[in-house]
């Protein structure tokens, strides 16, 4: 494992995640109150939506069914992404420790 692998698998995802969480916190702070469910949903949206858009592809529906399936994909993807955030953090720590130990 090289330093390039550590940067790609640990540092870059963590930096992107910190920036995204800071941006969501700033957006949620505009209203003055923070809804935890909406914060988790918005924080997890970029980490889970690509998985759900692959699984739930609307075909053969009318316009209402297509919009409903897309909305379901976004909601479930955001919630799934909020569960993926701790996985990405643990993976980044594991990769960093593995690089330090094997060095």
């Amino acid at each position: 494992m090289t330093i390039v692998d550590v940067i790609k698998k640990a540092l870059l995802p963590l930096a992107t995640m910190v920036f995204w969480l800071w941006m969501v916190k700033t957006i949620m702070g505009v209203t003055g109150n923070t809804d935890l469910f909406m914060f988790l949903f918005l924080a997890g949206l970029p980490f889970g939506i690509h998985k759900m858009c692959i699984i739930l592809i609307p075909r053969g529906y009318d316009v209402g069914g297509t919009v409903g399936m897309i909305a379901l994909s976004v909601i479930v993807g955001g919630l799934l992404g909020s569960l993926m955030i701790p996985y990405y953090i643990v993976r980044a720590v594991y990769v960093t420790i593995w690089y330090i130990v094997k060095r």
Side-chain angles (χ1 to χ4, degrees):
M1 181 176 292
T2 64
I3 192 68
V4 175
D5 293 332
V6 173
I7 291 172
K8 285 181 184 177
K9 293 180 181 178
L11 298 178
L12 193 59
L14 279 181
T16 306
M17 193 178 312
V18 166
F19 175 73
W20 180 253
L21 291 175
W22 170 77
M23 200 164 59
V24 168
K25 183 178 128 314
T26 304
I27 292 169
M28 294 295 291
V30 171
T31 61
N33 57 356
T34 302
D35 183 18
L36 183 62
F37 177 75
M38 187 60 80
F39 178 77
L40 287 175
F41 174 73
L42 289 176
L45 199 58
F47 303 108
I49 192 67
H50 64 280
K51 291 175 179 37
M52 290 309 298
C53 285
I54 292 172
I55 295 172
L56 296 175
I57 300 174
R59 290 187 186 156
Y61 293 108
D62 57 347
V63 175
T66 302
V67 171
M69 288 300 290
I70 291 172
L72 180 68
S73 293
V74 169
I75 292 169
V76 174
L79 296 176
L80 182 68
S82 67
L83 297 174
M84 293 298 292
I85 290 173
Y87 167 74
Y88 288 134
I89 292 171
V90 168
R91 186 181 73 172
V93 170
Y94 174 76
V95 167
T96 305
I97 291 173
W98 184 261
Y99 175 73
I100 291 170
V101 168
K102 291 296 180 178
R103 194 160 188 245

